[in-house]
Amino acid sequence: HGQTRMEMTSTSMKQEIELILSSRELLNDEEILGLEEALRVIDAHEERLEFSEKLKNRERERDKLLSDYSYFYREAWRQVDDNYLLFSWHQQLMCDYLQGLNEGKTIRDLIINLPPGCGKSINSSVIWPAWCWARNPSERIMACSYDEELVKKQAVDSMKLITSEWYQAFFGDRVQINPRVDTMKFFEIKSPNGSGGGGWRFSTTP
């Protein structure tokens, strides 16, 4: 009951702040920054409550994450990007094809052609590998990019996702990064419960 009242309070506060921010021309820069920071605090609080609720039904949530890549993608986005995810049809299509590629049933080879900023890199080079390892810790992935700094960033973002509290809460019993084999260009996956592992990610450029 206490939690329900807290959720109602945070929701009403968020609505009031958003209403005030809709009249930005009446606010100074300091007031805008303060209100935007308050929104971030409320969002973090709501995410924490949502996370706690999902942990109560951990096995059901884990099954959903493993069976539906588009759901995993939307949940994992929060761990690697602070920007709001506007999930659209083209992202759903990418997720469907990447899931089919992983399962080897509907498609064996895949080329994704999209303009910059449409999410193809964070999807295929950051989030999708983490999902593949959650399903099979022995997956071996080679990630390539035209730019060395970009391929390093994608590797770091992938490690950030794997080591996040959210990912470890659901898949930490099967996926860990081997601390003895851990660099931006190459890292190795191990399973702490001894049920497999042996996967890795190798990042390179032409």
Side-chain angles (χ1 to χ4, degrees), residues 58-185:
R58 180 177 178 273
E59 290 306 314
R60 186 173 64 185
E61 178 70 9
R62 183 156 89 162
D63 289 344
K64 188 175 180 181
L65 290 165
L66 289 172
S67 62
D68 183 353
Y69 175 59
S70 68
Y71 179 70
F72 179 94
Y73 172 77
R74 282 171 283 175
E75 293 294 300
W77 175 277
R78 305 174 187 179
Q79 313 304 317
V80 294
D81 200 306
D82 294 329
N83 293 310
Y84 177 75
L85 173 64
L86 185 61
F87 191 78
S88 186
W89 66 270
H90 77 280
Q91 290 166 315
Q92 181 65 57
L93 193 62
M94 276 193 289
C95 290
D96 291 344
Y97 274 108
L98 286 166
Q99 177 155 353
L101 184 65
N102 176 268
E103 294 173 347
K105 297 176 183 176
T106 56
I107 192 167
R108 296 297 299 272
D109 300 290
L110 176 64
I111 296 174
I112 301 173
N113 288 320
L114 284 170
C118 289
K120 59 185 178 295
S121 295
I122 193 171
N123 196 334
S124 60
S125 296
V126 177
I127 298 177
W128 183 66
W131 182 71
C132 292
W133 288 315
R135 289 164 61 99
N136 178 11
S138 65
E139 289 279 6
R140 296 175 174 181
I141 294 172
M142 183 170 68
C144 303
S145 175
Y146 69 94
D147 181 74
E148 187 171 3
E149 291 306 311
L150 178 59
V151 82
K152 284 180 180 178
K153 182 186 183 306
Q154 291 169 352
V156 169
D157 286 344
S158 196
M159 286 189 281
K160 177 183 174 184
L161 172 56
I162 294 165
T163 57
S164 68
E165 181 186 9
W166 171 79
Y167 189 93
Q168 288 298 307
F170 293 106
F171 310 113
D173 60 333
R174 62 173 74 179
V175 179
Q176 298 279 343
I177 292 177
N178 188 346
R180 293 181 296 177
V181 189
D182 174 10
T183 67
M184 281 189 288
K185 283 206 163 187

Side-chain angles (χ1 to χ4, degrees), residues 44-55:
H45 169 71
E46 289 178 345
E47 281 185 21
R48 195 73 198 168
L49 289 177
E50 182 185 351
F51 178 55
S52 299
E53 194 62 32
K54 287 176 178 177
L55 276 180

